[in-house]
Amino acid sequence: MPTEDEDARINQGIASDPDNPELTEADFRAAQPAQSALPVLASARRVRGPQKAPTKMLVSMRLDEDVLAAWRATGPGWQTRVNEELRRALERR
């Protein structure tokens, strides 16, 4: 938490910023929901396209800390590599 002096400096900075004034009670009363103020932007939702590969399942499992650390240490894409290794293990069975 800021000290009283720090808080006073922060509030002074807010008050002296003409590009970003502190909102007042009147501003909050005049506010509108985004849907009515900017309907085009508020309703624009990005939709993910069709998956190129079969849907994967989200799972939760417990792994030994050292095993997880070793896979994460291999860098980005480690989860994909774990999946590939598990697939190879299934094929060896």
Side-chain angles (χ1 to χ4, degrees):
M1 295 297 296
T3 65
E4 286 187 30
D5 288 341
E6 291 169 331
D7 196 44
R9 283 195 308 261
I10 291 168
N11 287 324
Q12 183 181 14
I14 292 169
S16 66
D17 185 353
D19 295 326
N20 192 21
E22 189 167 10
L23 297 175
T24 65
E25 285 295 322
D27 293 325
F28 283 107
R29 282 193 298 277
Q32 299 175 15
Q35 184 65 37
S36 62
L38 299 165
V40 173
L41 294 178
S43 64
R45 292 190 179 249
R46 293 184 60 180
V47 178
R48 186 175 177 173
Q51 288 192 349
K52 297 175 184 169
T55 303
K56 294 185 178 180
M57 301 287 298
L58 176 65
V59 298
S60 175
M61 60 188 296
R62 296 181 181 278
L63 300 172
D64 290 334
E65 190 174 339
D66 60 329
V67 171
L68 182 58
W71 276 106
R72 285 183 170 164
T74 65
W78 69 270
Q79 291 171 319
T80 299
R81 289 189 293 280
V82 168
N83 188 72
E84 291 166 352
E85 189 63 34
L86 289 170
R87 182 171 302 286
R88 283 194 291 272
L90 283 174
E91 290 169 357
R92 288 192 301 265
R93 287 177 106 193

